[in-house]
Amino acid sequence: GPGTPGAAGDFGWKVLTSSNPAVVKSKLNSELANGRLAMIAIIGMFFQEGITGDIWGGLAKTAKIFAFEKELGVQSPVGFWDPAGWTEDGSIENYKRRRQTEIKHGRIAMLATMGYITPELYGKFPGFLSPSLGIKFADVPNGLGAISKVPAAGWGQIIAYMAFCEVSSKQGPGTPGAAGDFGWKVLTSSNPAVVKSK
């Protein structure tokens, strides 16, 4: 009932908890966070089983995906994660192409996130985005609202720069670009172990 130790999650079993109220509170916070994750996981498993008839989505039926368990990007506790089943064919060429695309899109997403957050925290550039149209940087809102404010010529410049980045370096199989290394060592390193870690 309300006000009892059981209502607060304390059933008197001190093996995994503690008599110290601060430790109990910390452990209950962890339990709440993990319980929320477990609730999402079980709903996902029910959904997966409803769609595929298998809680593993067919992944347990093939050993091909385990060929990628030692690849870059595989992290605990999930290990190699391919919920869409794109690697079920076991093709290393397709895997490497998708990993290259994932690195590229991840970098773009990180830059976009910083581009969204930074003006909110530190303000916008002074002056004009487009002097001929009288548009100041301060006039451009953050987020999706910016799409309609940036002039067509500005979008043309953005698209031209994206195309330049895409074609200005070799990214074919076996090249450093395919592995995400474009030679820009400001945020990375010349040490291969450090590059892999980053």
Side-chain angles (χ1 to χ4, degrees):
T4 64
D10 184 358
F11 295 100
W13 196 53
K14 304 300 183 191
V15 175
L16 296 177
T17 181
S18 171
S19 299
N20 181 336
V23 173
V24 169
K25 182 177 180 181
S26 171
K27 290 191 176 202
L28 283 173
N29 275 328
S30 296
E31 187 177 359
L32 279 169
N34 291 328
R36 290 171 183 156
L37 181 61
M39 287 185 279
I40 291 170
I42 193 64
I43 294 299
M45 292 170 109
F46 288 151
F47 182 77
Q48 183 77 23
E49 185 176 13
I51 297 293
T52 67
D54 177 4
I55 62 168
W56 301 109
L59 296 182
K61 297 175 185 169
T62 178
K64 291 180 182 175
I65 62 148
F66 296 111
F68 306 113
E69 278 292 328
K70 301 289 184 200
E71 293 293 331
L72 180 68
V74 176
Q75 297 177 345
S76 300
V78 178
F80 180 72
W81 191 59
D82 178 24
W86 288 341
T87 57
E88 286 184 6
D89 63 359
S91 168
I92 193 71
E93 293 82 18
N94 288 341
Y95 171 80
K96 287 185 176 182
R97 182 183 55 76
R98 288 186 186 111
R99 181 51 43 100
Q100 176 183 352
T101 303
E102 182 183 15
I103 290 170
K104 188 185 304 182
H105 291 172
R107 288 175 177 172
I108 292 167
M110 288 186 280
L111 287 170
T113 302
M114 290 306 300
Y116 197 102
I117 294 171
T118 304
E120 291 289 330
L121 296 176
Y122 299 105
K124 299 178 181 175
F125 289 123
F128 287 87
L129 171 67
S130 174
S132 62
L133 296 175
I135 301 173
K136 294 182 178 181
F137 285 107
D139 297 335
V140 179
N142 262 9
L144 297 176
I147 292 172
S148 63
K149 299 290 183 186
V150 175
W155 285 112
Q157 291 171 7
I158 292 168
I159 291 168
Y161 180 70
M162 289 166 54
F164 169 76
C165 290
E166 193 66 32
V167 300
S168 65
S169 62
K170 294 180 182 175
Q171 300 178 44
T175 63
D181 183 1
F182 296 100
W184 196 54
K185 303 299 183 194
V186 176
L187 297 178
T188 183
S189 171
S190 298
N191 181 335
V194 173
V195 170
K196 183 176 180 181
S197 168
K198 289 188 175 202

